[in-house]
Amino acid sequence: MPPKRQREQPESAEATSNATVGRSGEGQRGDYLTTAQGVRLPDTDHSLKAGPRGPSLMEDFHLREKITHFDHERIPERVVHARGAAAHGTFRAHGNASSVTKAGFLERGRETPVFVRFSTVLGSRGSADTVRDVRGFAVKFYTDEGNFDLVGNNMPVFFIQDGIKFPDVIHAGKPHPDREIPQAQTAHDTFWDFVSLHTEATHHVMWAMSDRGIPRSYRTMEGFGVHTFRLVNAEGETSLVKFHWKPVAGVHSLVWEEAQIAAGVDPDFHRRDMADGIDAGAPLEYELGMQVMPDSEDEMFEGIDLLDPTKIVPEELAEVQLVGRLTLDRNPTNYFAETEQVAFHTGNLVPGIEVTDDPLMQARLFSYLDTQLTRLGGPNFTQLPINCPHAAVNDNLRDGMHQTLIHQGQAPYLPNSVDDALPTTATEAEGAYVHRPIEVSGPKIRANPVSFDDHFSQATLFWKSLSRIEKIHEIEAFTFELGKCFSQTIQARVLQSLAQVDAELCAAVAEGLGLPAPLGTPAEDVTPSAALSQIPPGPGPIAGRIIGVVATSAADLGGIGKLRRVVEAQGAILRVLAPAGGTLKRGRGLQPVARTFLTARSIEFDAMVVADGTAGLHDIKLTILLQEMFRHCKAIGAWGDGRQVLTDAGIDVDAPGIVLADEVAKPFSAELVKSVGLHRVWERAEHVMND
């Protein structure tokens, strides 16, 4: 146990002297939470709203001060989402959303340029891609009506219900301030202290501790808008909506050992996979989906509060309707100019899409713009090419740091009679963004509605929707993370929350920690949702997947050629592994060596095949690679005497997912492709556990 930490600034006579308080350079004095001006605060968990369900008020000086200070903590790196990678692409609308929104980019056949940035939340720019974390999924649509930013995550819920606590949860998740460790991970005391004291985080923690926290790649990562938005159609009718991104390649994840290996041997694992896939002609593809619900006065749906960002609407209750396809097929030319300087903002909206009074969203509407002012050096960051709208701009804004435009005219104000009375304001019929006249009333109060009080039932829903292997991974993740906490008090408090989720989950984690399992009262009337499990019902596309073939110059190069043609026809990539680099030659056959045993690791491949003609090949690095792929439940194959290489490496060739044949023929190739399309051979995990 580390030594018990003392108060940052112990009380002293000096601290009580009006003449010296705040003048000595020492911070954090006194027992009461105050503003930066020393005003004592009664509440730091709820923003000031017009009624419990109303919008946040700009007069909330504590919210603005707290968020502003948080936004400006890092220069110039992003405070959150610092580690990111991006790609250009196109969004093509299917045209079936016109009944609920007048947004032009969703009209049938409309193609809109996009720029998408994926990111981790907690780590610095130099951290690894594969840490357990939430992933940002931010999409900038360069529409004809102005830029629309859908700034979401790969999880549909968030840790907190009110944006005023966002600095707190990030501070808790970041490295401890005294030592600046651990980097890019939540397996430490301050994070679990926070989430155990704010039980509204329980649902999100369930997602983060699941396999969703370590996605296989960006192309196999689901995305969500998190919040509930309001849609407006051409007739002025409104509805409420939650946005989804459904990856065409399916939703798949790494296993924990893979994530750890990748963080060490290839910390750029996700960005490399995306960039290499695009270069190889395998774009990333997603379907944009919408869950559309009535815009009722109470903004509830099937008993679910749509303004609570810690809640989902199960797809069985509201179908996800696919309204367009996103294709990412062009890598950035310059990382800094594009990926680093891109500025997203939840307030970048287009006619037909409005925000709601979700208190987390309300704070984000202020925070994102405020952040860019510091990070990008002033108010003219929209003039950077990556942020510049493709629609005509005449904003009447002038001067400011980094002004790159030469404005004309004499009257930067409206109305004017000097510059030919231009520009003019537009009407709604002319495409102006007009807010719906929604009545707002209520007392000024720092509180949440009673419907926000249920912190556990949806966490139970998530748990009950997982497969057996996913539940095992969830238990292992909780046990690992909590096992890194020094405080047993914090561990016990988390177990109290888990007891409210599920008794089996709580008992298993408690056993791993060596602590007693508390009793709870989990929700019983919970119907599992099939959409929450990542186990695919059948094989999916293999575009962008990487299949390795172990070979030597004596191998069946013709068979490798046949297999290459099959997998590349489906958009996958075949890479030959050999003891040494160069080109394998045998007769008229030629096969380039993409990796050697020294430069390859198992994490790079979705399947591994050993070619005929390799019997007698022994290399400890190859043995480790094959054993790792076996443990990670990946497809493994061999033809001819390649089977002997598997046996020599200790691979059980009778285990599920081992594809064997005498030669490369259609049945062999088809079975291999099917196994890769399933992502993992989870039956092998059951096989190993039963043994």
Side-chain angles (χ1 to χ4, degrees):
M1 291 284 291
K4 182 175 177 59
R5 297 177 182 174
Q6 303 298 315
R7 286 173 54 95
E8 290 186 47
Q9 304 296 338
E11 288 292 335
S12 64
E14 180 187 26
T16 61
S17 169
N18 290 335
T20 58
V21 168
R23 302 293 183 185
S24 66
E26 298 177 348
Q28 310 307 316
R29 294 168 174 265
D31 293 329
Y32 293 101
L33 178 69
T34 72
T35 68
Q37 304 303 317
V39 178
R40 292 182 180 180
L41 294 165
D43 184 350
T44 191
D45 282 349
H46 303 91
S47 56
L48 190 66
K49 309 179 188 71
R53 301 181 60 75
S56 300
L57 301 178
M58 282 299 294
E59 70 179 80
D60 189 350
F61 57 84
H62 175 44
L63 167 67
R64 287 186 283 111
E65 178 185 76
K66 184 176 179 181
I67 293 289
T68 298
H69 193 281
F70 170 73
D71 290 341
H72 295 244
E73 286 179 359
R74 302 286 188 277
I75 300 174
E77 180 180 282
R78 286 171 169 86
V79 178
V80 289
H81 298 278
R83 174 76 176 178
H88 294 270
T90 303
F91 176 80
R92 183 178 178 85
H94 299 328
N96 55 334
S98 59
S99 63
V100 292
T101 178
K102 61 183 179 181
F105 77 98
L106 290 173
E107 293 177 357
R108 182 177 300 278
R110 184 73 63 89
E111 290 191 358
T112 303
V114 297
F115 188 72
V116 180
R117 187 176 188 270
F118 303 104
S119 56
T120 54
V121 173
L122 289 178
S124 68
R125 278 187 60 187
S127 57
D129 280 351
T130 59
V131 295
R132 183 179 293 279
D133 198 356
V134 181
R135 299 305 191 283
F137 196 131
V139 183
K140 185 178 290 293
F141 296 82
Y142 301 96
T143 86
D144 295 339
E145 300 174 295
N147 288 352
F148 168 52
D149 292 352
L150 184 54
V151 195
N153 288 331
N154 73 321
M155 300 177 189
V157 293
F158 204 63
F159 293 102
I160 53 176
Q161 295 170 323
D162 193 313
I164 198 171
K165 289 191 277 192
F166 188 64
D168 299 329
V169 67
I170 297 301
H171 287 159
K174 287 282 190 178
H176 290 197
D178 53 351
R179 302 179 185 180
E180 190 61 15
I181 55 175
Q183 173 63 240
Q185 56 182 296
T186 56
H188 55 85
D189 286 67
T190 58
F191 174 78
W192 289 101
D193 184 46
F194 179 90
V195 300
S196 64
L197 291 169
H198 295 78
T199 53
E200 69 202 65
T202 305
H203 189 196
H204 189 113
V205 168
M206 292 293 294
W207 281 78
M209 293 302 107
S210 76
D211 292 342
R212 304 268 186 160
I214 45 175
R216 161 61 180 84
S217 64
Y218 296 137
R219 75 170 61 245
T220 60
M221 188 176 78
E222 208 164 7
F224 303 90
V226 179
H227 307 289
T228 299
F229 292 77
R230 176 170 282 106
L231 299 184
V232 185
N233 66 14
E235 288 72 39
E237 299 166 332
T238 63
S239 53
L240 299 179
V241 65
K242 284 184 175 291
F243 290 108
H244 296 243
W245 289 110
K246 297 289 189 182
V248 174
V251 186
H252 305 302
S253 294
L254 299 169
V255 295
W256 180 231
E257 186 184 26
E258 282 184 298
Q260 292 176 301
I261 293 172
V265 303
D266 187 6
D268 306 308
F269 183 76
H270 284 151
R271 66 174 62 184
R272 188 189 310 281
D273 177 89
M274 177 168 64
D276 287 353
I278 290 174
D279 284 344
L284 286 69
E285 296 182 297
Y286 310 83
E287 291 281 349
L288 176 62
M290 299 193 311
Q291 284 181 297
V292 181
M293 294 149 288
D295 189 3
S296 59
E297 184 176 351
D298 62 3
E299 295 171 303
M300 304 280 286
F301 180 75
E302 298 288 342
I304 301 166
D305 193 329
L306 298 179
L307 301 188
D308 184 349
T310 69
K311 302 293 194 302
I312 65 167
V313 175
E315 294 185 21
E316 290 78 7
L317 298 180
E319 179 187 1
V320 176
Q321 304 171 50
L322 304 182
V323 298
R325 177 167 289 206
L326 170 66
T327 302
L328 302 180
D329 55 6
R330 181 165 65 88
N331 287 313
T333 301
N334 182 274
Y335 181 92
F336 178 80
E338 299 170 277
T339 307
E340 189 61 20
Q341 289 196 129
V342 66
F344 294 95
H345 179 27
T346 51
N348 288 348
L349 302 164
V350 292
I353 303 177
E354 297 185 359
V355 300
T356 58
D357 294 339
D358 172 345
L360 177 62
M361 176 185 280
Q362 292 281 311
R364 293 180 76 193
L365 293 173
F366 169 78
S367 180
Y368 278 72
L369 180 59
D370 180 56
T371 294
Q372 315 305 348
L373 294 175
T374 291
R375 193 174 64 83
L376 295 174
N380 293 310
F381 61 86
T382 56
Q383 296 175 17
L384 293 167
I386 194 63
N387 297 319
C388 192
H390 291 197
V393 175
N394 193 345
D395 54 22
N396 247 4
L397 303 176
R398 291 292 190 269
D399 305 337
M401 190 175 292
H402 300 156
Q403 178 58 256
T404 63
L405 303 178
I406 301 175
H407 291 90
Q408 302 178 33
Q410 298 176 309
Y413 55 86
L414 287 178
N416 72 73
S417 62
V418 177
D419 290 338
D420 297 324
L422 295 174
T424 62
T425 57
T427 65
E428 185 170 4
E430 293 170 321
Y433 190 103
V434 178
H435 295 267
R436 292 302 96 192
I438 298 174
E439 182 177 344
V440 174
S441 64
K444 291 187 291 188
I445 186 173
R446 295 187 185 274
N448 282 334
V450 174
S451 53
F452 276 39
D453 290 345
D454 176 12
H455 297 167
F456 301 112
S457 65
Q458 288 214 338
T460 302
L461 164 66
F462 183 79
W463 169 259
K464 289 186 177 297
S465 300
L466 300 181
S467 66
R468 179 169 180 253
I469 191 67
E470 289 172 305
K471 288 182 176 179
I472 291 172
H473 291 169
E474 183 101 17
I475 291 168
E476 291 174 343
F478 269 109
T479 306
F480 173 85
E481 295 260 329
L482 293 171
K484 291 286 187 176
C485 294
F486 288 107
S487 170
Q488 281 197 358
T489 301
I490 293 173
Q491 293 173 331
R493 200 184 303 131
V494 176
L495 290 175
Q496 288 284 356
S497 292
L498 295 184
Q500 298 299 111
V501 176
D502 184 84
E504 175 194 0
L505 169 64
C506 179
V509 175
E511 181 181 4
L513 297 175
L515 295 175
L519 297 177
T521 55
E524 296 181 355
D525 56 339
V526 171
T527 303
S529 171
L532 301 182
S533 172
Q534 291 190 107
I535 305 299
I542 66 168
R545 297 306 187 95
I546 300 174
I547 297 172
V549 178
V550 177
T552 65
S553 57
D556 175 13
L557 303 188
I560 297 176
K562 291 180 182 179
L563 186 60
R564 183 186 296 277
R565 288 190 290 274
V566 170
V567 300
E568 291 184 352
Q570 300 196 42
I573 301 166
L574 187 142
R575 289 178 178 163
V576 173
L577 281 75
T583 301
L584 301 180
K585 302 179 181 179
R586 186 183 181 193
R588 300 174 63 182
L590 296 173
Q591 287 292 337
V593 176
R595 298 288 188 272
T596 67
F597 299 157
L598 183 62
T599 61
R601 282 303 296 264
S602 64
I603 55 169
E604 181 181 1
F605 303 97
D606 297 283
M608 186 61 63
V609 185
V610 183
D612 183 30
T614 55
L617 179 61
H618 296 283
D619 189 296
I620 186 60
K621 293 181 285 298
L622 174 61
T623 297
I624 292 173
L625 182 148
L626 291 171
Q627 290 177 346
E628 286 176 350
M629 297 201 69
F630 183 84
R631 286 201 306 276
H632 302 158
C633 299
K634 293 181 177 179
I636 297 175
W639 76 90
D641 62 15
R643 176 196 305 240
Q644 187 60 45
V645 176
L646 297 181
T647 301
D648 292 344
I651 303 300
D652 179 3
V653 295
D654 294 322
I658 307 297
V659 184
L660 303 173
D662 294 330
E663 61 180 355
V664 177
K666 286 185 178 181
F668 176 78
S669 301
E671 186 64 26
L672 183 66
V673 167
K674 175 183 175 182
S675 296
V676 175
L678 289 168
H679 183 60
R680 306 274 178 187
V681 185
W682 290 122
E683 295 85 356
R684 189 184 302 156
E686 300 285 348
H687 175 82
V688 172
M689 287 187 290
N690 291 336
D691 286 349

